[in-house]
Amino acid sequence: MNLAIIGAGRIAQVHAAAADRDPRIALVYVSDIRPEAAEALAATFGATSVDVDTLFDDERIDAVLIASSTATHAEFLERAAKAGKAVLCEKPIALDIERTRQAVEVVNAHSVACALGFNRRHDPQFAALKAALDAGRIGRLETLTIISRDPAPPPIDYIEGSGGLFFDMMIHDFDVARWLLDEPIAAVSASGGVLIDPAIGEAGDIDTAMVVLATDSGRLCHIQNSRRAAYGYDQRIEAFGSRGMLQAVNETETRLRHTGEAGQLDEPPKHFFLERYGVAYGRELGDLYDAWSTGGAPKATHEDGYQSLRLAAAATKSLAEGRTVCLDEIG
């Protein structure tokens, strides 16, 4: 599969490295608004730096990976679909529900494989939890708890352009919730505050949040987010059912535990998302290859991106209005 990457920042670099490790994928082009960044990334992996028009027009290109700024995602996603190219787009498609819906409709009108960058579906531990759920290991799923805490807040200029915690950070957890609950979500109730850095509040955002999702059948999902965890990147899931419980726990570098006079000491969790989800990024790109080569659907599609964005919008509305929001009110 001949691949072109739009973007040359941190995430684009991760994807380029993943493509380089997969013998089925050839990175041909890199494009970025900063030509020097595109040239540097392209040179690292034996690709060529080009403008976006070139990569969309080149019939040799089978797939496009969109890792540029959020404001460009919807346009590039539409162009890839119209050009008949498979596409992997980083989240979100857009921060606006209507613009996202328009892009989704364009993709639906063309027969292309379209994957969204919800890499947690590709994490081995989370995927094993999903498989155990589907196999009925804990009977009927009743409640789900998802915990996601960053090691430290991002810079304020990032916060200002992120769209807010629900759209930037918790949107991954919304996708995991939809994936694991596997039934329509009916209502969203959100609480949040500024407990870590007053500057985040001054930028119009929150740094701590809890959201409860309720499905049509009454299943409940509790999501906790924090922009800071003193002990590292905290990524856990607990699924509780009629016949037991499944837990996905934090991963450490070696899983080594020391036991001595002071008690037991575990290693800290892997530092951040690049370390924690390194394997998932490779599997995510491999999933796009599989969908492109077989005509199947990726594990996370543009429709999943749209539905998770609706949940983020519902949580934002719930927090602002201090009430539970029915998902029917959104989009």
Side-chain angles (χ1 to χ4, degrees), residues 159-295:
I159 293 285
E160 291 173 340
S162 70
L165 182 145
F166 295 128
F167 287 89
D168 172 61
M169 182 177 177
M170 195 178 287
I171 195 164
H172 279 290
D173 304 306
F174 288 138
D175 179 66
V176 170
R178 292 185 61 253
W179 179 48
L180 297 179
L181 290 168
D182 198 25
E183 68 175 70
I185 293 169
V188 179
S189 179
S191 298
V194 181
L195 305 179
I196 298 168
D197 185 352
I200 292 177
E202 293 168 5
D205 199 7
I206 55 176
D207 55 33
T208 306
M210 292 187 176
V211 168
V212 175
L213 309 176
T215 70
D216 285 343
S217 71
R219 289 176 176 171
L220 298 175
C221 175
H222 183 207
I223 301 174
Q224 301 180 35
N225 272 192
S226 174
R227 288 287 193 184
R228 181 209 60 215
Y231 47 86
Y233 194 41
D234 194 356
Q235 300 285 288
R236 290 175 284 152
I237 300 174
E238 177 186 289
F240 179 79
S242 58
R243 297 198 347 248
M245 177 174 65
L246 295 165
Q247 292 177 305
V249 300
N250 283 325
E251 295 191 356
T252 65
E253 288 299 326
T254 68
R255 298 182 184 271
L256 180 68
R257 172 180 289 176
H258 172 256
T259 302
E261 293 181 356
Q264 291 184 333
L265 180 64
D266 290 327
E267 295 177 324
K270 290 183 177 179
H271 176 65
F272 207 10
F273 67 94
L274 293 180
E275 294 83 5
R276 172 63 182 81
Y277 294 114
V279 172
Y281 279 109
R283 290 190 172 193
E284 181 179 55
L285 195 53
D287 179 58
L288 178 67
Y289 173 86
D290 291 340
W292 168 77
S293 62
T294 66

Side-chain angles (χ1 to χ4, degrees), residues 23-37:
R24 304 169 301 173
I25 300 171
L27 178 58
V28 178
Y29 291 142
V30 176
S31 180
D32 192 272
I33 194 171
R34 301 160 301 153
E36 67 282 1

